[in-house]
Amino acid sequence: QVRLVESGGGSVEAGGSLRLSCAASAWNTCMGWFRQAPGKEREGVAAIRSDRTTFYSDSVKGRFTISKDNAKNTLYLQMNSLKPEDTAMYYCAATSRVPPPYELGAPLSVYEYNYWGQGTQVTVSS
């Protein structure tokens, strides 16, 4: 069982920045950030695989950066140039699947992850 604890959410004006953190209790092969706005499905935002390959959704590419500190087992999401449409609950997710997801689109699919954090709210005002 992997426990994930997110932090770093909050309220910011459009154009601002936030950094999310996710502390994991155990090793995993792929970790990601997902978000869910009211009335919408949960969507993949960014992911990083154990080989350090990163993946981004088109909506955040160039604005968000995912990284991981393996020594601390902590995942980060640096979010810059935030927009009101980035407002959502953000969730950290992890999988211990071996091998990690390699199929096209898989690292950003909710179905690839079996561990989830409780979520942290990000609100961007215009």
Side-chain angles (χ1 to χ4, degrees):
Q1 186 76 12
V2 176
R3 191 166 70 97
L4 304 171
V5 180
E6 302 105 330
S7 60
S11 296
V12 65
E13 292 186 351
S17 299
L18 283 173
R19 189 176 85 151
L20 305 183
S21 299
C22 173
S25 62
W27 176 85
N28 48 77
T29 57
C30 191
M31 294 188 75
W33 288 99
F34 292 75
R35 66 187 182 187
Q36 187 167 19
K40 294 190 176 182
E41 293 187 353
R42 191 169 297 189
E43 62 173 356
V45 173
I48 184 166
R49 212 163 45 200
S50 52
D51 61 3
R52 306 199 75 85
T53 303
T54 56
F55 305 87
Y56 297 94
S57 68
D58 288 342
S59 61
V60 307
K61 202 171 294 183
R63 300 188 297 123
F64 291 10
T65 302
I66 191 171
S67 61
K68 186 180 179 187
D69 185 332
N70 286 326
K72 297 181 179 179
N73 242 3
T74 300
L75 182 73
Y76 302 99
L77 184 68
Q78 178 66 44
M79 304 185 294
N80 298 329
S81 302
L82 282 161
K83 305 175 181 179
E85 50 264 45
D86 294 319
T87 296
M89 185 71 79
Y90 281 71
Y91 297 90
C92 174
T95 178
S96 52
R97 165 186 159 181
V98 177
Y102 277 92
E103 298 85 356
L104 183 64
L108 293 179
S109 169
V110 297
Y111 302 106
E112 294 293 335
Y113 295 85
N114 48 347
Y115 302 109
W116 294 86
Q118 79 287 354
T120 185
Q121 179 67 38
V122 171
T123 302
V124 184
S125 58
S126 57

